[in-house]
Amino acid sequence: MARVTAGVTTSHVPAIGAAIDLGKTRDSYWAPAFAGFDFSKAWIAANMPDVVFLAYNDHASAFSPDLVPTFAIGCAEKFEPADEGWGPRPVPTVIGHPELAAHIAQSLIQADFDLTIVNRMDVDHGLTVPLSLMFGQPQQWPCRVIPFAVNVVLYPPPSGKRCFRLGQALRRAVEDFGEDLKVQVWGTGGMSHQLQGTRAGLINKEFDQRFLDQLIAEPERLAELPHIDYLRQAGSEGIELVMWLIMRGALGARVRTTHRFYHVPASNTALGHLILEDMP
Ligand code: DHB
Ligand code: FE
């Protein structure tokens, strides 16, 4: 049987991707941010999943305002890095898991979650930066990845509660897949940041720390937070944090915090990162 073996969350700032690709990770600005992932790289090498189910948001790379799915599951064999304006990042092609993705699509749609099935899609920094943070710069990504794009760019985003419930349904789907696979669920984006308007540059450390505490210990309560509170407290792009609730829903009620990291600033964003594992 397939099982959810751990949950990982991390921010996805594009400048982090550029710092990795241009060899700047040891610069004084970036070194403290990357230091938070030294543990994670060693941990994941020792706890390698077969598949990562990676909840992320597309930034008008694969989708445009012409077509905005709330939840889109990547069912393709592979996904190429998107050209985000400066050419595609020099990172490996992402290899999917079409069989597990199709099974999850069937299971979630039959459980009343409306997913868009995507059979061809490029993936932008929202997906490739978390992979780079966790895996460094390998020739090939060391596991398969199912991209799961969530619309948090164009109003209205899905609620945290719906994302949490989706994560719970995802766990049931994974456990219902016949093959013996280790599956990690990653929630990416966040933490507090706002890239636009008069509040551009907003960071809210108190909100972020409370979010981390509640995501670990009181996810049902955190799932009740309405989207307007994300906007007011964590900035317009802080709404990316609802994707972390997909990860948390896929874990059990009680979790162990294997790793917790928080660093400001990373470009315009508060960089947060967790590794959580179910308590036995
Ligand atoms: C930044 C953060 C994001 O989430 C994003 O999609 C683009 C830029 C930033 O902090 O610069
Ligand atoms: Fe973003």
Side-chain angles (χ1 to χ4, degrees), residues 12-14 59 125 193 195 240 266-269:
H12 70 209
V13 181
H59 301 74
H125 68 270
H193 64 304
L195 302 176
E240 290 176 346
S267 189
N268 301 293
T269 301

Side-chain angles (χ1 to χ4, degrees), residues 1 3 17 93 98 105 167 179 190 221 230 242 276 280:
M1 288 303 199
R3 356 183 234 115
T93 297
E179 202 180 324
R221 185 165 160 214
Y230 287 88
V242 293
L276 303 181

Side-chain angles (χ1 to χ4, degrees), residues 53 55 71 108 113 148 150 158-172 185 211 214-225 230 241-255 276 278:
F53 181 95
F71 298 114
L108 290 190
F113 291 94
F148 190 77
V150 180
S159 67
K161 187 179 197 165
R162 188 153 182 78
C163 290
F164 186 66
R165 297 277 174 255
L166 191 149
Q168 293 175 317
L170 169 66
R171 182 188 182 106
R172 291 192 288 273
V185 178
F211 188 92
Q214 289 197 336
L215 189 72
I216 294 164
E218 299 179 293
E220 292 272 3
R221 185 165 160 214
L222 180 61
E224 298 293 333
L225 192 73
Y230 287 88
L241 282 167
V242 293
M243 296 182 287
W244 293 30
L245 281 154
I246 295 178
M247 179 286 288
R248 188 63 186 86
L251 297 179
R254 278 161 37 85
V255 291
L276 303 181
D278 275 340

Side-chain angles (χ1 to χ4, degrees), residues 33-270:
F34 286 101
F37 291 84
D38 290 343
F39 172 89
S40 314
K41 290 198 186 77
W43 173 85
I44 204 160
N47 295 274
M48 190 58 72
D50 298 300
V51 187
V52 170
F53 181 95
L54 202 158
Y56 75 108
N57 67 293
D58 176 74
H59 301 74
S61 304
F63 306 115
S64 78
D66 290 347
L67 180 69
V68 186
T70 302
F71 298 114
I73 184 161
C75 294
E77 298 275 353
K78 60 187 170 98
F79 307 88
E80 299 295 342
D83 187 336
E84 300 180 58
W86 303 94
R89 288 191 62 213
V91 292
T93 297
V94 173
I95 306 300
H97 197 303
E99 297 81 13
L100 180 59
H103 169 81
I104 291 170
Q106 167 176 318
S107 186
L108 290 190
I109 290 168
Q110 295 291 319
D112 303 336
F113 291 94
D114 303 318
L115 308 191
T116 298
I117 293 165
V118 185
N119 291 316
R120 206 204 69 75
M121 174 167 75
D122 293 344
V123 286
D124 71 12
H125 68 270
L127 183 130
T128 63
V129 165
L131 289 179
S132 297
L133 282 168
M134 292 300 291
F135 294 129
Q137 294 176 288
Q139 287 296 309
Q140 303 296 332
W141 297 122
C143 65
R144 292 166 183 255
V145 178
I146 297 176
F148 190 77
V150 180
N151 169 42
V152 287
V153 170
L154 200 68
Y155 189 87
S159 67
K161 187 179 197 165
R162 188 153 182 78
C163 290
F164 186 66
R165 297 277 174 255
L166 191 149
Q168 293 175 317
L170 169 66
R171 182 188 182 106
R172 291 192 288 273
V174 167
E175 289 176 348
D176 197 32
F177 189 67
E179 202 180 324
D180 197 13
L181 292 176
K182 289 181 280 219
V183 180
Q184 286 184 8
V185 178
W186 293 13
T188 66
M191 298 190 80
S192 59
H193 64 304
Q194 172 144 344
L195 302 176
Q196 56 206 312
T198 51
R199 298 201 309 165
L202 176 145
I203 299 282
N204 186 341
K205 291 183 189 174
E206 291 72 28
F207 174 92
D208 290 338
Q209 290 297 347
R210 198 165 56 244
F211 188 92
L212 292 169
D213 292 341
Q214 289 197 336
L215 189 72
I216 294 164
E218 299 179 293
E220 292 272 3
R221 185 165 160 214
L222 180 61
E224 298 293 333
L225 192 73
H227 83 268
I228 192 69
D229 288 13
Y230 287 88
L231 279 166
R232 287 190 177 130
Q233 298 181 56
S236 51
E237 278 63 51
I239 190 66
E240 290 176 346
L241 282 167
V242 293
M243 296 182 287
W244 293 30
L245 281 154
I246 295 178
M247 179 286 288
R248 188 63 186 86
L251 297 179
R254 278 161 37 85
V255 291
R256 178 174 71 224
T257 305
T258 301
H259 186 52
R260 174 172 174 160
F261 178 67
Y262 184 76
H263 174 77
V264 176
S267 189
N268 301 293
T269 301

